[in-house]
Amino acid sequence: GAVVSQHPSRVICKSGTSVKIECRSLDFQATTMFWYRQFPKKSLMLMATSNEGSKATYEQGVEKDKFLINHASLTLSTLTVTSAHPEDSSFYICSARDRDRPFYGYTFGSGTRLTVV
Amino acid sequence: QQQVKQSPQSLIVQKGGISIINCAYENTAFDYFPWYQQFPGKGPALLIAIRPDVSEKKEGRFTISFNKSAKQFSLHIMDSQPGDSATYFCAASIIGSARQLTFGSGTQLTVLP
C-alpha cells in the first residue's frame, strides 16, 4: 500500500531557531501534499496545500513566512518552521494523495512532535 | 457547507460490544467518505472508506453505513477489542478535485477489558 514517510518524528529546538520537517511518498507520486497541525485531543487543522512545482496554498490565518513549504519533487514536500516560538509547539502531520489512484485516498505520515523551548 | 459533524465526542464500550460513531455532512458534492483511526503520537491511518453509490461496506469487524438522503454515515465496530481504543475521525472529500479532506471533530473510543 501507499506509504508516506515523515521525519523527524520528534524534535526539540530552541526558541528562535528553524526546524525542517520532511514528508516523502515512498511508493507513489504525489502532485499534492497537505500539511496539518493537531492540538491535543483535537481534530486535524489544515495549514496548507502543497503542489509540486508551484507555491503552496495556505489556509486563512496561517503565516506563510513562518511556515515555509517546498514541494520540489513528486515525492517530497518540506515544512520549515522559521524562528520557532513555544506557541509553535504542536503535532504536525503531512498527507499525500496518489495522483494515479485518487480513490485510494489520502495517506498520512506518522507525524512530527515539535517542542520549542 | 464544508462541515462534517461527528458524534459522540467520546465513547466507552465493553470488550465484545458494538461501537457506533456517527457523522453528518452538508455538502452534497462530497463523494468519498473515509474513516481514520489514530493512536496517540501517530498519524491517522485509513480504516475503511465508502462512496455514495452503496449503502454499506464491511471490512472485517468494521462496517460503514451510508444514508445519502439523510446525508449521514456511521462506523460500526463489531466485537470491540481493547486494541481498538483510539481516536476515530470521519472525513469527506470530492474525488475529482485535489482538495483536502474535511474532517470530523473526532471520537475517542475506549474499550474496557
Side-chain angles (χ1 to χ4, degrees):
Chain A
V3 178
V4 171
S5 175
Q6 185 174 342
H7 290 282
S9 58
R10 292 178 178 270
V11 58
I12 300 174
C13 71
K14 291 185 177 181
S15 185
T17 62
S18 296
V19 173
K20 180 183 286 187
I21 302 169
E22 290 190 350
C23 181
R24 293 180 185 272
S25 56
L26 297 186
D27 49 2
F28 65 96
Q29 293 185 325
T31 51
T32 304
M33 292 185 175
F34 305 94
W35 287 95
Y36 295 85
R37 183 173 181 176
Q38 188 177 34
F39 294 100
K41 299 188 184 298
K42 296 294 184 182
S43 189
L44 286 75
M45 181 183 75
L46 181 69
M47 298 175 64
T49 301
S50 169
N51 299 295
E52 186 266 337
S54 64
K55 291 184 178 180
T57 303
Y58 290 82
E59 296 299 301
Q60 190 173 9
V62 177
E63 298 177 61
K64 301 178 183 181
D65 295 333
K66 167 166 277 295
F67 299 101
L68 299 179
I69 292 173
N70 183 277
H71 193 158
S73 76
L74 286 172
T75 59
L76 174 64
S77 176
T78 61
L79 168 67
T80 301
V81 183
T82 63
S83 186
H85 288 93
E87 58 265 30
D88 299 324
S89 297
S90 192
F91 192 55
Y92 293 89
I93 311 171
C94 69
S95 170
R97 193 172 79 163
D98 187 337
R99 70 170 185 176
D100 296 323
R101 301 189 305 171
F103 180 63
Y104 287 86
Y106 305 74
T107 303
F108 286 82
S110 55
T112 297
R113 172 72 60 192
L114 170 63
T115 303
V116 184
V117 298
Chain B
Q1 191 74 352
Q2 293 294 321
Q3 279 188 324
V4 176
K5 295 182 179 180
Q6 183 172 348
S7 63
Q9 184 176 357
S10 63
L11 181 62
I12 300 175
V13 174
Q14 292 285 343
K15 178 182 176 182
I18 302 174
S19 303
I20 302 174
I21 305 171
N22 301 299
C23 283
Y25 63 97
E26 298 174 1
N27 187 350
T28 55
F30 286 145
D31 59 0
Y32 174 67
F33 303 90
W35 284 89
Y36 286 86
Q37 179 188 56
Q38 185 181 28
F39 292 103
K42 300 295 183 182
L46 179 65
L47 197 59
I48 187 172
I50 198 169
R51 297 202 67 182
D53 51 346
V54 296
S55 60
E56 186 175 283
K57 183 175 180 180
K58 183 176 181 180
E59 290 185 0
R61 296 185 295 110
F62 302 93
T63 300
I64 298 180
S65 296
F66 185 83
N67 186 328
K68 187 174 181 178
S69 60
K71 293 188 287 185
Q72 296 176 345
F73 59 109
S74 60
L75 175 69
H76 296 235
I77 305 175
M78 311 299 287
D79 187 26
S80 299
Q81 299 296 312
D84 297 331
S85 297
T87 301
Y88 292 82
F89 293 97
C90 63
S93 74
I94 302 170
I95 283 290
S97 78
R99 298 195 62 173
Q100 73 283 358
L101 289 165
T102 299
F103 280 94
S105 54
T107 296
Q108 188 166 354
L109 172 65
T110 302
V111 181
L112 301 176

